[in-house]
Amino acid sequence: MDIVHERAAGMDISKRDAKVCIRIPGARAGTSSRTVTTYGSTTNEIMRLRRDLEAAAVTVVVMEATGDYWRPFYFLLSESLNVQLVNAKAARNIPGRKSDVADATWLAELAAHNLLRASFVPPEPIRQLRDLTRTRSNLTHERTREYPRLEKGLEDSSIKLSSVVSTLSTRSARSILDALISGERDPQTLASLAHARWAANPRRSSKPSRGASPTTTHSWRGCTWTASTSSRRPRSPRRLHRHGDATFRLGPGEVTVPGISKNVANVIIAEAGVDMTVFDTAGHLASWAGVCPSQNESPRRIKSTQTRPGDHYLKAALGIAALAVSRSKTTYLAVKYRRVQSHAGALRAVVALQHTLLVIVWNMLHDGVAYDELGVDHYDKTNPDAPGNASNAACSRSDSSPTSPHFPQGGHLRFLSRIARSRANAYDSTKIEPLQSR
């Protein structure tokens, strides 16, 4: 096998140290020598490693993405060396020969033959925005998990607040909870803190029973801590939101893609970056994000087409945008969602819309153009004779007989034919009983 890099290095990184294998040409032609050295994970040790790699004239350094321990090595070494972060799944060695030294040697060998593909590591400004958006997402999830704990504490304390409010995050519920934390126990005083429309409901404004007071000191202490925690956490995501919106924009100017808000745009930029030259085509970006079918075929039989895991932060943001645009009535994306949903279901339609949104983002950032809305009649213009288009459907409705109130146009015929085919597969065709009309 051809050697692409004569001088390569492989690193197996752990929490406290790293095993580094430097592969250089040997004394005789066609041979190579390997030296494995252990370096610490402190900054001084990493700087010493960089000097040794520069002295050996190493042209490529390969390391596995091991938790977060690779970050100090990658950031310091990439300032002057060609460092590649690779997926550990793509660099597996032969089973039964697993050790730190063997892993470092194997990575150096793979790097010399250029058999590994580097993972995407965004530049520092994008990494900073990614930290902010991911922190906001984690804080939002933690805040959502606090409300069931809060309701459990209220139930243990015999406070039936959740039975008279829609959610514990409403303004009325927050005001009542703040008063309870302050020590207020009078039911009428607590009811007066609610919103006017909330208090106008006779069921809600009725006098509560005497049991609606804290009865367990332990439960009430936990409820007080949870309520105060859930009320403080929304402020941090809002600060992160303002910081992200002031730094980045999706495309030239304001966000114009239907369904993509500024929050979603920040997540897309933070996860995929703004330099689309990293991805050769829009399909590469969709495959990296995990919003396209996987390829698992053997021999000539497709075993699975499930989507890859991909970037779950990016997939979650695209899912929010897809669900938002699916409720629209005047956009091309909404028409595409309904067309895919009609024959593939809602879940696959969401994935198809995620793929389309990511293709639009790639073209906007790669070519520097704005989004061009195709309109709801795009499919009618491109293929007016297709059976699913509005013009063809209108002609078929005018020429057909009245439909059943229980099925859409032609739906009862398709339903009966589907039942007939299923019975024909289970029994002999001569024994099929006549179908009763609905």
Side-chain angles (χ1 to χ4, degrees), residues 40-52:
S41 59
T42 60
T43 303
N44 294 332
E45 286 290 302
I46 298 175
M47 297 302 295
R48 183 170 70 90
L49 169 62
R50 188 172 75 175
R51 290 191 297 268
D52 294 344

Side-chain angles (χ1 to χ4, degrees), residues 237-260:
R238 285 198 295 267
R239 290 198 300 268
L240 300 179
H241 179 78
R242 290 196 298 267
H243 180 83
D245 289 343
T247 308
F248 295 94
R249 289 289 186 270
L250 180 58
E254 295 295 332
V255 179
T256 58
V257 183
I260 297 184

Side-chain angles (χ1 to χ4, degrees), residues 131-409:
D131 292 338
L132 294 177
T133 55
R134 290 186 176 184
T135 302
R136 175 177 56 194
S137 177
N138 295 333
L139 288 176
T140 303
H141 293 165
E142 288 294 333
R143 182 190 62 181
T144 305
R145 282 192 286 266
E146 289 293 341
Y147 288 112
R149 301 189 186 105
L150 176 58
E151 183 175 2
K152 179 181 180 298
L154 291 174
E155 293 292 336
D156 290 343
S157 303
S158 300
I159 300 178
K160 308 294 292 185
L161 181 60
S162 59
S163 61
V164 294
V165 296
S166 57
T167 60
L168 294 177
S169 60
T170 59
R171 182 181 301 178
S172 299
R174 299 307 319 175
S175 300
I176 295 176
L177 287 173
D178 292 341
L180 287 172
I181 294 174
S182 302
E184 182 62 47
R185 297 295 183 270
D186 183 54
Q188 298 298 334
T189 304
L190 295 175
S192 63
L193 298 175
H195 194 268
R197 295 180 58 185
W198 185 89
N201 192 331
R203 181 176 62 87
R204 293 173 173 174
S205 60
S206 59
K207 184 177 180 180
S209 61
R210 295 178 58 87
S213 61
T215 57
T216 306
T217 305
H218 172 73
S219 301
W220 177 243
R221 287 177 179 176
C223 177
T224 303
W225 180 85
T226 306
S228 59
T229 303
S230 61
S231 63
R232 290 195 305 264
R233 284 184 175 175
R235 300 174 185 174
S236 181
R238 285 198 295 267
R239 290 198 300 268
L240 300 179
H241 179 78
R242 290 196 298 267
H243 180 83
D245 289 343
T247 308
F248 295 94
R249 289 289 186 270
L250 180 58
E254 295 295 332
V255 179
T256 58
V257 183
I260 297 184
S261 60
K262 292 183 178 180
N263 187 12
V264 175
N266 289 331
V267 176
I268 295 175
I269 295 299
E271 298 300 329
V274 294
D275 184 13
M276 290 294 107
T277 58
V278 178
F279 307 97
D280 296 335
T281 61
H284 285 79
L285 176 59
S287 177
W288 174 81
V291 292
C292 66
S294 60
Q295 186 177 3
N296 187 5
E297 181 180 352
S298 175
R300 294 185 179 181
R301 186 172 71 89
I302 299 177
K303 295 184 177 181
S304 175
T305 58
Q306 289 185 347
T307 58
R308 300 174 57 190
D311 190 337
H312 63 275
Y313 289 98
L314 180 57
K315 292 175 68 174
L318 292 174
I320 294 174
L323 292 176
V325 76
S326 65
R327 299 182 179 91
S328 175
K329 302 296 183 182
T330 59
T331 61
Y332 156 76
L333 296 175
V335 174
K336 180 173 183 177
Y337 172 83
R338 288 190 286 270
R339 287 172 66 93
V340 178
Q341 182 191 22
S342 62
H343 67 272
L347 296 180
R348 292 187 178 181
V350 170
V351 176
L353 216 57
Q354 289 176 326
H355 182 275
T356 304
L357 288 171
L358 208 54
V359 170
I360 293 173
V361 170
W362 185 89
N363 285 278
M364 291 178 63
L365 298 179
H366 183 269
D367 300 334
V369 296
Y371 173 71
D372 184 15
E373 175 60 42
L374 300 179
V376 295
D377 56 347
H378 173 70
Y379 292 102
D380 294 334
K381 295 178 180 178
T382 55
N383 191 5
D385 297 332
N389 289 341
S391 58
N392 196 10
C395 296
S396 62
R397 282 195 300 268
S398 61
D399 298 337
S400 60
S401 59
T403 60
S404 171
H406 302 285
F407 299 94
Q409 173 65 29

Side-chain angles (χ1 to χ4, degrees), residues 44-99:
N44 294 332
E45 286 290 302
I46 298 175
M47 297 302 295
R48 183 170 70 90
L49 169 62
R50 188 172 75 175
R51 290 191 297 268
D52 294 344
L53 294 176
E54 292 175 350
V58 173
T59 57
V60 61
V61 181
V62 173
M63 63 180 67
E64 292 181 345
T66 308
D68 292 330
Y69 304 140
W70 60 269
R71 295 177 180 272
F73 290 91
Y74 183 90
F75 297 149
L76 292 177
L77 295 180
S78 60
E79 295 178 357
S80 59
L81 296 170
N82 178 22
V83 184
Q84 294 182 1
L85 182 70
V86 300
N87 190 353
K89 184 179 180 180
R92 287 181 178 177
N93 200 348
I94 300 175
R97 300 177 58 183
K98 183 74 171 66
S99 66

